[in-house]
Amino acid sequence: MQVTINNSILELVEGDITKQDTGAIVNAANSGLRGGGGVDGAIHRAGGPQIMEECRKIGGCPTGSAVITTGGNLKARYVIHTVGPVYHGGDRGEAELLASAYRSSLKLASEKGISTIAFPSLSTGAYGYPLDEAAKIALKTVCDYLKEHPDIALARFVLFSADAYRAYEAVLRSILPQLST
Ligand code: AR6
């Protein structure tokens, strides 16, 4: 599914983030940038050791922030590593931290002149964020950013399962009326 927001495209696809040919792909990292399972493991495996070398030099990334490294052997030139919150029930600022992870990633892309970016569904694997709630925050935050920042030509969500795709699609359809305002 694809929608246009001012001059930018917001797209949902089912697939593997490591295969994307956008200028940057976003990693669902941990605050130590130590690598791990899920998206993080897949990106480091596909991208090669250069990405971890740069992560070690950077040293870490607080929850809700983002840092950037090379894309190594990936098609994407850059990896933006961001850290979503661990879900503890929703009353520990998780929603704002998740929104901040998306915003920080987009801001870093804008600063680096990267116009196309692909996101996984941050925090919805090992970090336990309920998919529907996370999808609402993710889509609203990215839509709001695109409205104000035409420099980002394409923001793509790469959903790893049909269930995740359907959850994002339902949320995007529900907020479509707000996008034209
Ligand atoms: N492409 C796209 N999406 C994927 C892929 C892939 N190749 N692999 C998994 N997903 P997770 P988190 C989906 O656990 O919840 C790591 O160990 C997956 O189905 O990768 O933010 C880090 O080091 C899920 O919907 O990230 C951290 O310690 C979503 O991506 C921690 O996990 C996010 O799942 C971060 O946890």
Side-chain angles (χ1 to χ4, degrees), residues 17 24-28 39 43 79-82 105 117-120 122:
I17 192 93
I25 62 171
V26 176
N27 183 18
V39 172
I43 287 177
V79 176
I80 292 174
H81 306 259
T82 191
S105 302
I117 183 168
F119 287 99
L122 298 172

Side-chain angles (χ1 to χ4, degrees), residues 15-17 28-30 35-40 42 120-127 158 160:
D16 181 345
I17 192 93
N30 52 65
V39 172
D40 202 359
S121 176
L122 298 172
S123 282
T124 59
Y127 282 180
V158 182
F160 204 47

Side-chain angles (χ1 to χ4, degrees), residues 39-56:
V39 172
D40 202 359
I43 287 177
H44 283 289
R45 271 194 306 278
Q50 214 190 329
I51 301 177
M52 184 49 79
E53 258 169 52
E54 287 187 30
C55 282
R56 275 200 207 97

Side-chain angles (χ1 to χ4, degrees), residues 23-180:
I25 62 171
V26 176
N27 183 18
N30 52 65
S31 55
L33 301 177
R34 291 181 307 273
V39 172
D40 202 359
I43 287 177
H44 283 289
R45 271 194 306 278
Q50 214 190 329
I51 301 177
M52 184 49 79
E53 258 169 52
E54 287 187 30
C55 282
R56 275 200 207 97
K57 279 186 199 142
I58 296 166
C61 176
T63 304
S65 300
V67 299
I68 190 164
T69 67
T70 174
N73 303 328
L74 296 165
K75 282 187 196 158
R77 182 159 175 208
Y78 296 102
V79 176
I80 292 174
H81 306 259
T82 191
V83 184
V86 178
Y87 190 77
H88 290 290
D91 55 4
R92 294 202 206 167
E94 290 97 328
E96 186 38 49
L97 288 168
L98 185 60
S100 173
Y102 282 100
R103 258 195 313 269
S104 305
S105 302
L106 288 160
K107 219 172 139 229
L108 200 45
S110 290
E111 282 164 16
K112 296 283 173 188
I114 299 164
S115 63
T116 60
I117 183 168
F119 287 99
S121 176
L122 298 172
S123 282
T124 59
Y127 282 180
Y129 215 114
L131 191 58
D132 293 333
E133 268 182 64
K136 280 181 203 151
I137 294 162
L139 286 164
K140 185 178 183 320
T141 306
V142 173
C143 286
D144 285 350
Y145 191 89
L146 294 180
K147 278 184 194 164
E148 308 278 318
H149 297 86
D151 56 298
I152 304 290
L154 169 71
R156 177 185 292 155
F157 282 91
V158 182
L159 290 326
F160 204 47
S161 68
D163 277 354
Y165 180 86
R166 276 194 292 270
Y168 273 71
E169 189 184 35
V171 171
L172 186 53
R173 284 195 197 287
S174 76
I175 63 173
L176 272 184
Q178 296 158 38
L179 297 182
S180 46

